[in-house]
Amino acid sequence: MDQKLNITYIRLDGYVELDKYRFVYFVIMFTAYILIICSNSTIVCLIVIHKNLHEPMYIFIAALLMNSLLLTTALYPKILFDVLSEKQIISYLACLFQWFTTYSLAGSEFLLLAAMSYDRYVSICKPLQYPTIMSKINICILLVVTWILPAGQLGMSVALNANIKLCSFTLKGIFCNNSIYKCQCVSSGALSIYGVFMLANIALLPLLFILFTYTRILLISYRSCKTVRNKAAQTCLPHLLVLINFSCFVTYDVVVVRLESDFPKTARLIMTLQVILYHPLFNPVIYGLKMKEISKHLKKLLFQVKSH
């Protein structure tokens, strides 16, 4: 703690042999950051530029990829700075802000995936009502809710945690996640209950809704003609792959806090790097390759780049 400025600092103790592998860490993280920005931005730009991609499904994909860009930007600059620094520290308030940004955007991702599953459900199960239900106004409302709802709930949690006394000033991670609770002197029962409420509200309920909608799509597709089944497979499979991938990482993040003392440091670092490296690159690859219209425009773009 800096007594003069009355600022509490947290030490990030998640790196393994940083002094020895500092350059390797930096090259990997910087390369990944550039790839994430380029791949996600390219598909977002394609969706914005081409009018035939101005449909609800592609708008939600663009929002999901923008969400990945925001999440990456909340983490990578600080990580790159830490890798080059002698001390890996962050002020407690900055740590809470990073925690807020990370989990707010993670919650938005679940809600965006839920909105995408609803869009596919209406498209396949209620095609005649699709233009009315998925109107521009309704899409705007869904997008606003997906970003405002998690931010509002987590903002309340940050306000409640800001003045809690800390007894530990070392965080076993490379960025601020749920492990911050381990630094608090006393575990608040009210905050724990509120945390469970938030988890249910912005993760579990959207997940159950997604499973319900895809179950309905599966049942209706099974009873329908081959064309409907092909449409369902082409548009729903990428969403399901992204959902499974993201759910696995969120489950890891929740579980590792409970098993923190028994979880090897190297294994924890490898898993954390997979979360922040793999997932933001997974989304644009899946949507770029699996979504027919996006893939077509992407191939045209690559052909134009090669020809020049």
Side-chain angles (χ1 to χ4, degrees), residues 20-32:
K20 187 177 180 181
Y21 298 110
R22 192 182 301 276
F23 180 72
V24 176
Y25 279 121
F26 183 81
V27 169
I28 291 171
M29 300 306 293
F30 183 74
T31 304

Side-chain angles (χ1 to χ4, degrees), residues 56-115:
M57 177 173 64
Y58 300 112
I59 291 170
F60 286 128
I61 289 173
L64 192 72
L65 298 182
M66 280 296 297
N67 205 65
S68 289
L69 283 171
L70 291 170
L71 183 58
T72 304
T73 305
L75 297 176
Y76 272 74
K78 177 66 173 108
I79 290 171
L80 289 170
F81 179 79
D82 283 341
V83 166
L84 297 177
S85 302
E86 288 300 317
K87 294 181 180 179
Q88 293 71 49
I89 59 171
I90 184 171
S91 71
Y92 179 56
L93 290 179
C95 190
L96 283 177
F97 180 73
Q98 191 180 59
W99 175 89
F100 162 77
T101 309
T102 303
Y103 287 104
S104 175
L105 292 169
S108 295
E109 184 136 350
F110 269 116
L111 292 173
L112 282 168
L113 288 167

Side-chain angles (χ1 to χ4, degrees), residues 121-148:
Y121 168 74
V122 176
S123 174
I124 293 166
C125 303
K126 299 179 180 180
L128 297 177
Q129 297 172 286
Y130 184 78
T132 306
I133 296 173
M134 299 307 294
S135 63
K136 288 183 179 179
I137 294 174
N138 289 341
I139 291 167
C140 288
I141 291 170
L142 284 171
L143 289 175
V144 169
V145 169
T146 57
W147 276 305
I148 295 296

Side-chain angles (χ1 to χ4, degrees), residues 16-298:
V16 177
E17 295 189 57
L18 180 58
D19 291 334
K20 187 177 180 181
Y21 298 110
R22 192 182 301 276
F23 180 72
V24 176
Y25 279 121
F26 183 81
V27 169
I28 291 171
M29 300 306 293
F30 183 74
T31 304
Y33 189 33
I34 297 300
L35 285 173
I36 289 165
I37 290 173
C38 292
S39 57
N40 284 276
S41 299
T42 299
I43 295 179
V44 170
C45 289
L46 286 175
I47 292 169
V48 171
I49 292 167
H50 297 285
K51 288 186 177 181
N52 69 320
L53 298 181
H54 292 181
E55 296 178 11
M57 177 173 64
Y58 300 112
I59 291 170
F60 286 128
I61 289 173
L64 192 72
L65 298 182
M66 280 296 297
N67 205 65
S68 289
L69 283 171
L70 291 170
L71 183 58
T72 304
T73 305
L75 297 176
Y76 272 74
K78 177 66 173 108
I79 290 171
L80 289 170
F81 179 79
D82 283 341
V83 166
L84 297 177
S85 302
E86 288 300 317
K87 294 181 180 179
Q88 293 71 49
I89 59 171
I90 184 171
S91 71
Y92 179 56
L93 290 179
C95 190
L96 283 177
F97 180 73
Q98 191 180 59
W99 175 89
F100 162 77
T101 309
T102 303
Y103 287 104
S104 175
L105 292 169
S108 295
E109 184 136 350
F110 269 116
L111 292 173
L112 282 168
L113 288 167
M116 292 164 80
S117 71
Y118 180 67
D119 172 69
R120 291 301 82 210
Y121 168 74
V122 176
S123 174
I124 293 166
C125 303
K126 299 179 180 180
L128 297 177
Q129 297 172 286
Y130 184 78
T132 306
I133 296 173
M134 299 307 294
S135 63
K136 288 183 179 179
I137 294 174
N138 289 341
I139 291 167
C140 288
I141 291 170
L142 284 171
L143 289 175
V144 169
V145 169
T146 57
W147 276 305
I148 295 296
L149 184 63
Q153 293 184 14
L154 283 152
M156 179 70 73
S157 183
V158 168
L160 295 170
N161 277 284
N163 296 315
I164 288 181
K165 187 179 178 182
L166 303 182
C167 286
S168 172
F169 301 94
T170 300
L171 197 68
K172 294 181 179 179
I174 62 174
F175 62 90
C176 295
N177 58 7
N178 277 324
S179 298
I180 192 68
Y181 290 120
K182 297 287 184 181
C183 296
Q184 296 174 354
C185 296
V186 180
S187 179
S188 169
L191 282 175
S192 297
I193 292 169
Y194 186 67
V196 172
F197 167 76
M198 285 193 300
L199 181 64
N201 213 15
I202 61 178
L204 296 179
L205 288 178
L207 185 60
L208 290 172
F209 178 77
I210 292 165
L211 293 174
F212 169 76
T213 53
Y214 280 120
T215 301
R216 292 287 299 158
I217 290 169
L218 185 65
L219 290 172
I220 290 171
S221 301
Y222 180 74
R223 297 170 190 162
S224 303
C225 62
K226 188 178 179 181
T227 306
V228 175
R229 286 198 295 272
N230 288 340
K231 180 185 177 182
Q234 286 176 5
T235 58
C236 295
L237 184 61
H239 304 327
L240 283 172
L241 289 172
V242 170
L243 173 67
I244 292 165
N245 177 63
F246 188 63
S247 297
C248 289
F249 287 137
V250 170
T251 303
Y252 157 75
D253 186 74
V254 172
V255 170
V256 77
V257 174
R258 302 297 177 190
L259 304 176
E260 193 174 74
S261 58
D262 303 321
F263 212 73
K265 188 175 181 179
T266 304
R268 184 168 58 245
L269 176 63
I270 291 169
M271 283 301 298
T272 303
L273 288 174
Q274 283 196 57
V275 173
I276 63 174
L277 291 171
Y278 177 61
H279 181 67
L281 285 169
F282 182 77
N283 287 2
V285 169
I286 285 295
Y287 290 122
L289 295 177
K290 293 292 183 182
M291 301 301 287
K292 190 177 178 181
E293 289 300 318
I294 295 176
S295 179
K296 189 166 65 177
H297 287 297
L298 195 57

